[in-house]
Amino acid sequence: MSRFFTTGSDSESESSLSGEELVTKPVGGNYGKQPLLLSEDEEDTKRVVRSAKDKRFEELTNLIRTIRNAMKIRDVTKCLEEFELLGKAYGKAKSIVDKEGVPRFYIRILADLEDYLNELWEDKEGKKKMNKNNAKALSTLRQKIRKYNRDFESHITNYKQNPEQSADEDAEKNEEDSEGSSDEDEDDDGVTAAAFLKKKSEVPSGESRKFLKKEDEDEDSEDSEDSEAWDTSSTSSDSDSEEEEGKQTVLASRFLKKAPTTEEDKKAAEKKREDKAKKKHDRKSRRPDEEEEDNEGGEWERVRGGVPLVKEKPKMFAKGTEITHAVVIKKLNEILQARGKKGTDRAAQIELLQLLVQIASENNLGEGVIVKIKFNIIASLYDYNPNLATYMKPEMWQKCLDCINELMDILFANPNIFVGENILEESENLHNADQPLRVRGCILTLVERMDEEFTKIMQNTDPHSQEYVEHLKDEAQVCAIIERVQRYLEEKGTTEEICRVYLRRILHTYYKFDYKAHQRQLTPPEGSSKSEQDQAENEGEDSAVLMERLCKYIYAKDRTDRIRTCAILCHIYHHALHSRWYQARDLMLMSHLQDNIQHADPPVQILYNRTMVQLGICAFRQGLTKDAHNALLDIQSSGRAKELLGQGLLLRSLQERNQEQEKVERRRQVPFHLHINLELLECVYLVSAMLLEIPYMAAHESDARRRMISKQFHHQLRVGERQPLLGPPESMREHVVAASKAMKMGDWKTCHSFIINEKMNGKVWDLFPEADKVRTMLVRKIQEESLRTYLFTYSSVYDSISMETLSDMFELDLPTVHSIISKMIINEELMASLDQPTQTVVMHRTEPTAQQNLALQLAEKLGSLVENNERVFDHKQGTYGGYFRDQKDGYRKNEGYMRRGGYRQQQSQTAY
């Protein structure tokens, strides 16, 4: 048996001590006169004997402590889990609770938890910010606690009426436990749940159920730890007295807390508690005084993020170091080695490189070293944002523009410097002036990246803010830099580099309307009346001449299909924008881009869609409604014009994409100043469809199998017909639908008033460069198509009609009316003849009889029957979807099969 548990007489203890060797006492130890020696078996068999009451109450208090911690961090899900476990643990302790009564701490947690949940439930803003799991757990736990608390309603009411009494009782029990008690006093009857709960000694009266601040909790926990500290001095004095008196007690009792037995011990403990309370009060009162002294003294100053306000310049070289080319290049390589590593301060790296440039210029190390460092500074500015989606800050962007301009100044001032990606670092010549200086780096790559950064800045700026206008002013600097690089590469660059920089110049030119050239076309030059400034502006190169020169060079010299394709599309766009319809149409047809554009990358497809839209708008301005409709058909019929033009993402499309795909799509969006007005686009398409569809519907009114020219136009007509109340039109679509109904009746004046009015002028027609010319053309088209519709609709009513009457009715001159009717007769659209002497149109009664109508219907049904039989026969012969089986050649394409639908399918794929 171990000496730790020995309880023998004095003689037995002396004999056991004399028979063993003396062990030296460790230095500084104050744990007793003899060491604690335990065997391995006894160490493994340590046991603590506790009553069933202690075990059950300890389990409850541990769960309550976990619930309170979860309440502090607003983790309602954890509260729900622990509350369910608490209910089960209370059920296990039911027999003990029946004897002892419901413990106070259990009633307190039920009341506090219910109040806590009610507060969370009433906090509407907090509930909105909760995640899904916490919100669900809140409603579940609230229902459970209300149902559970019905069994403890009287106890909870008593607790809420007098919460201070229950808090004081627990505080007294905690104090008794902290002072310690003897083993004899700690029997089953004396232990309560308060011994296992670490509550605060003082509870505010009005805030008994509120959570206190973390700072006060820490201080209270320190006080409780101090109160539970070992009283080593009393332990050592007791052990000395035992040796003097010759009494041996249990060794384990030396490590237990001693209860104050005498009056002096009680007074000392009371004094100790008072001193601690006084120190705590002094600490609290001292804090605001210290803060006031700090604010008044002015010795301390608050800084942001712990960064010192004054930064010392980093020392690049040790004092006395000779600055040479080799030393500077070595330092440059050291700085570049940290580039891209985790934890590297990118801003500090840029500052080091700029400082290195100053050192190189101060020591006259030559332009070659400065050019090399400048290249790395610009590259570091681009790398400042590691994420592709983020754009450069304004100060970094301005630094980048200034640095590129400085680099170009050096290159133009020193024609003996050659830069290029093909120059290896080993073959660089940075300081030998006898030979041409050679520096590794590509100025064109830096400019292309600068252009991409400018696009990202415009994409991420609110287009309706003044900030966007300020950023857009930087485009002049970007274009000037591109122009300088173009002049530099025309002297020293390769053909491929010249094509690339030409494309950059084209991309900043093709979408801009040249007002100066347009003005020169309208007003012939008069040299005497123009000022010198106007003459200087007009002497500049027209954008049409510039585009022609740049694009033709790319057509001839470029070896990559992508650059040539982009140049062709930009050239067509520029022609269409300036109303050069025939040049734009011919270039589009000769390029055959519509055949294989579906294989291009998405940015090129977006450019193709923009070009086709601009081509259609150009045709509309020229009065070619059929060409305009065909050009806009693919974009408008898809219902995704906004997305196909790169001007935004549709909400329904966002649901089909994940976040990565959405980020990629947003990076492809076109900046706002390049946008095409979608309302203008839709209006042009619907008006073109109206001018084509209404006469066609009137001509084939009795035809059961007439086809629709525009599905979207018919959809708008059906929407207008479904409306129960027809008021005055408000939107652009309603104006077009109302005009269509008027044209269908042959009332061209009403149609004209719906299409051209102040509201439509402000929304659509005033946006064209030559608005008056477009409106005049549109009135003429409405008159002509209304005349055709009138003849189709009412030809059966007339035997003959005078052309003069038609001319007066539609306010058209007589030759125009004669021309329209003659074309209708030639195309067999109108069964009539012209009587030249009397200038009348004589109608022919060619309406089919009932028997003829039945015969026509029978012929149509027989034709469809024959077509179906042919398809079934082809299927039996081995023809599947346009391919038929051949033993020699395998599967071979049947070119003639379903050719009529193949073009439509191919045409529908051209829209991105």
Side-chain angles (χ1 to χ4, degrees), residues 693 696 706-711 714-715 718:
E693 192 80 58
Y696 181 81
R706 71 165 185 263
R707 61 182 180 84
M708 289 187 293
I709 298 176
S710 173
K711 289 184 179 180
H714 277 273
H715 174 69
R718 285 195 296 270

Side-chain angles (χ1 to χ4, degrees), residues 649-863:
L649 299 178
L650 300 178
L651 292 176
R652 66 178 181 220
S653 301
L654 290 177
Q655 298 173 357
E656 302 170 0
R657 297 187 177 92
N658 55 32
Q659 289 186 349
E660 291 300 323
Q661 290 174 337
E662 183 182 346
K663 288 178 182 177
V664 172
E665 288 291 332
R666 290 195 184 280
R667 285 201 293 271
R668 290 176 186 153
Q669 299 305 300
V670 177
F672 183 76
H673 62 280
L674 274 71
H675 281 196
I676 297 171
N677 193 316
L678 294 177
E679 190 172 16
L680 180 144
L681 171 63
E682 187 177 9
C683 181
V684 166
Y685 175 75
L686 290 177
V687 171
S688 301
M690 177 190 75
L691 295 175
L692 294 174
E693 192 80 58
I694 296 299
Y696 181 81
M697 291 169 63
H700 299 81
E701 191 171 2
S702 60
D703 190 357
R705 296 186 62 186
R706 71 165 185 263
R707 61 182 180 84
M708 289 187 293
I709 298 176
S710 173
K711 289 184 179 180
Q712 189 179 8
F713 177 73
H714 277 273
H715 174 69
Q716 296 299 332
L717 288 180
R718 285 195 296 270
V719 169
E721 290 171 358
R722 287 197 209 105
Q723 292 181 357
L725 294 174
L726 289 177
E730 294 291 335
S731 65
M732 176 270 300
R733 295 175 182 174
E734 291 176 357
H735 276 87
V736 176
V737 170
S740 302
K741 291 179 180 178
M743 181 183 280
K744 203 171 182 181
M745 303 301 294
D747 186 359
W748 76 272
K749 290 184 179 179
T750 307
C751 178
H752 168 246
S753 64
F754 281 130
I755 293 295
I756 299 174
N757 51 54
E758 291 184 2
K759 188 177 288 187
M760 290 292 284
N761 287 341
K763 285 184 176 182
V764 181
W765 309 124
D766 288 342
L767 302 178
F768 286 111
E770 299 175 344
D772 294 333
K773 186 177 176 182
V774 172
R775 280 191 282 264
T776 304
M777 176 274 300
L778 205 52
V779 172
R780 178 86 173 195
K781 281 287 178 183
I782 290 172
Q783 291 170 334
E784 292 176 359
E785 298 302 325
S786 298
L787 172 59
R788 283 164 47 83
T789 306
Y790 184 84
L791 290 175
F792 283 135
T793 306
Y794 300 108
S795 60
S796 60
V797 178
Y798 290 97
D799 288 330
S800 63
I801 185 170
S802 171
M803 284 193 287
E804 291 181 0
T805 305
L806 294 175
S807 177
D808 295 338
M809 187 184 298
F810 293 97
E811 295 184 10
L812 291 169
D813 53 349
L814 199 58
T816 304
V817 175
H818 186 276
S819 172
I820 293 172
I821 296 175
S822 299
K823 286 180 183 177
M824 294 175 67
I825 294 173
I826 292 171
N827 295 329
E828 296 183 357
E829 295 173 340
L830 183 66
M831 298 301 172
S833 59
L834 286 173
D835 188 10
Q836 195 69 27
T838 59
Q839 294 290 315
T840 57
V841 182
V842 180
M843 302 297 175
H844 299 167
R845 294 297 180 183
T846 58
E847 288 82 7
T849 60
Q851 186 178 4
Q852 289 173 336
N853 280 328
L854 290 174
L856 289 173
Q857 292 178 10
L858 178 62
E860 289 178 1
K861 290 182 180 179
L862 287 174

Side-chain angles (χ1 to χ4, degrees), residues 129-398:
K129 296 178 182 178
M130 277 187 180
N131 58 28
K132 187 178 180 181
N133 294 333
N134 271 351
K136 187 177 180 181
L138 176 62
S139 60
T140 306
L141 182 56
R142 183 168 173 268
Q143 292 176 357
K144 286 190 174 184
I145 193 71
R146 290 170 68 182
K147 184 178 179 181
Y148 189 79
N149 283 1
R150 290 173 188 167
D151 299 334
F152 304 94
E153 196 167 350
S154 59
H155 297 283
I156 294 174
T157 306
N158 294 334
Y159 166 73
K160 289 185 176 180
Q161 288 176 356
N162 195 3
E164 296 182 5
Q165 181 181 354
S166 89
D168 292 340
E169 289 176 4
D170 288 339
E172 291 174 4
K173 291 175 183 177
N174 284 338
E175 287 178 4
E176 291 175 3
D177 292 338
S178 65
E179 292 172 359
S181 59
S182 61
D183 294 337
E184 291 81 12
D185 294 332
E186 291 179 352
D187 55 358
D188 293 342
D189 298 332
V191 177
T192 62
F196 301 99
L197 273 179
K198 292 185 179 179
K199 293 289 182 182
K200 293 181 175 54
S201 58
E202 296 180 2
V203 181
S205 60
E207 302 289 333
S208 61
R209 295 181 303 276
K210 303 287 185 181
F211 300 114
L212 298 180
K213 293 182 179 179
K214 188 176 180 182
E215 183 180 342
D216 296 335
E217 290 175 359
D218 295 339
E219 291 175 357
D220 291 346
S221 63
E222 290 176 4
D223 293 344
S224 63
E225 289 174 3
D226 293 337
S227 66
E228 293 173 1
W230 300 98
D231 193 356
T232 56
S233 61
S234 62
T235 308
S236 60
S237 63
D238 291 341
S239 62
D240 293 338
S241 63
E242 286 175 4
E243 285 187 356
E244 290 173 0
E245 295 173 1
K247 294 180 181 180
Q248 180 71 24
T249 58
V250 180
L251 187 60
S253 65
R254 298 182 183 184
F255 297 96
L256 296 176
K257 293 176 283 185
K258 302 297 181 180
T261 54
T262 62
E263 291 293 331
E264 294 179 359
D265 293 340
K266 289 182 180 179
K267 288 180 180 179
E270 187 69 27
K271 188 178 181 181
K272 191 175 181 181
R273 281 196 296 273
E274 289 177 0
D275 292 341
K276 286 179 182 176
K278 188 177 181 182
K279 288 179 182 178
K280 180 179 176 182
H281 180 71
D282 292 342
R283 280 200 303 269
K284 288 183 177 179
S285 61
R286 198 184 305 129
R287 282 174 189 166
D289 296 338
E290 289 176 356
E291 290 178 0
E292 290 177 4
E293 289 176 3
D294 290 343
N295 295 335
E296 293 173 0
E299 297 177 0
W300 301 94
E301 195 166 348
R302 188 179 296 276
V303 295
R304 292 175 56 190
V307 180
L309 295 175
V310 180
K311 283 188 176 181
E312 295 183 0
K313 287 188 177 181
K315 295 180 180 179
M316 299 291 293
F317 304 102
K319 192 174 182 181
T321 304
E322 184 181 358
I323 307 299
T324 61
H325 294 89
V327 173
V328 172
I329 295 302
K330 182 180 178 182
K331 191 67 179 178
L332 175 63
N333 291 331
E334 288 178 6
I335 297 171
L336 295 180
Q337 282 175 0
R339 180 180 168 191
K341 290 185 179 179
K342 188 177 181 181
T344 303
D345 189 354
R346 298 181 182 87
Q349 200 173 30
I350 295 169
E351 290 180 6
L352 288 174
L353 290 171
Q354 289 175 339
L355 186 59
L356 199 60
V357 170
Q358 294 178 8
I359 293 172
S361 59
E362 288 171 2
N363 291 273
N364 298 322
L365 297 182
E367 301 296 340
V369 176
I370 295 176
V371 168
K372 184 172 179 63
I373 300 173
K374 289 278 186 186
F375 269 117
N376 288 292
I377 289 175
I378 298 170
S380 299
L381 287 168
Y382 291 147
D383 291 345
Y384 186 78
N385 291 326
N387 191 358
L388 284 174
T390 55
Y391 60 98
M392 292 179 76
K393 296 178 181 177
E395 58 271 12
M396 290 292 177
W397 169 246
Q398 198 58 46

Side-chain angles (χ1 to χ4, degrees), residues 571-681:
H571 203 182
I572 296 169
Y573 190 103
H574 193 265
H575 280 315
L577 187 63
H578 293 83
S579 300
R580 296 189 288 270
W581 157 252
Y582 293 103
Q583 292 95 317
R585 183 200 63 181
D586 295 343
L587 190 54
M588 175 61 81
L589 294 176
M590 287 189 296
S591 64
H592 294 284
L593 289 176
Q594 62 271 24
D595 297 337
N596 53 8
I597 193 64
Q598 64 269 18
H599 301 301
D601 54 336
V604 178
Q605 292 186 12
I606 289 173
L607 181 58
Y608 173 81
N609 293 335
R610 286 167 51 79
T611 304
M612 289 300 297
V613 164
Q614 199 60 247
L615 203 61
I617 295 173
C618 175
F620 181 81
R621 289 200 302 267
Q622 302 297 315
L624 306 170
T625 53
K626 190 169 186 179
D627 291 321
H629 180 269
N630 291 337
L632 301 176
L633 177 63
D634 288 334
I635 301 295
Q636 287 298 120
S637 62
S638 64
R640 298 186 301 132
K642 183 178 181 181
E643 188 175 359
L644 295 177
L645 296 175
Q647 297 181 185
L649 299 178
L650 300 178
L651 292 176
R652 66 178 181 220
S653 301
L654 290 177
Q655 298 173 357
E656 302 170 0
R657 297 187 177 92
N658 55 32
Q659 289 186 349
E660 291 300 323
Q661 290 174 337
E662 183 182 346
K663 288 178 182 177
V664 172
E665 288 291 332
R666 290 195 184 280
R667 285 201 293 271
R668 290 176 186 153
Q669 299 305 300
V670 177
F672 183 76
H673 62 280
L674 274 71
H675 281 196
I676 297 171
N677 193 316
L678 294 177
E679 190 172 16
L680 180 144
L681 171 63

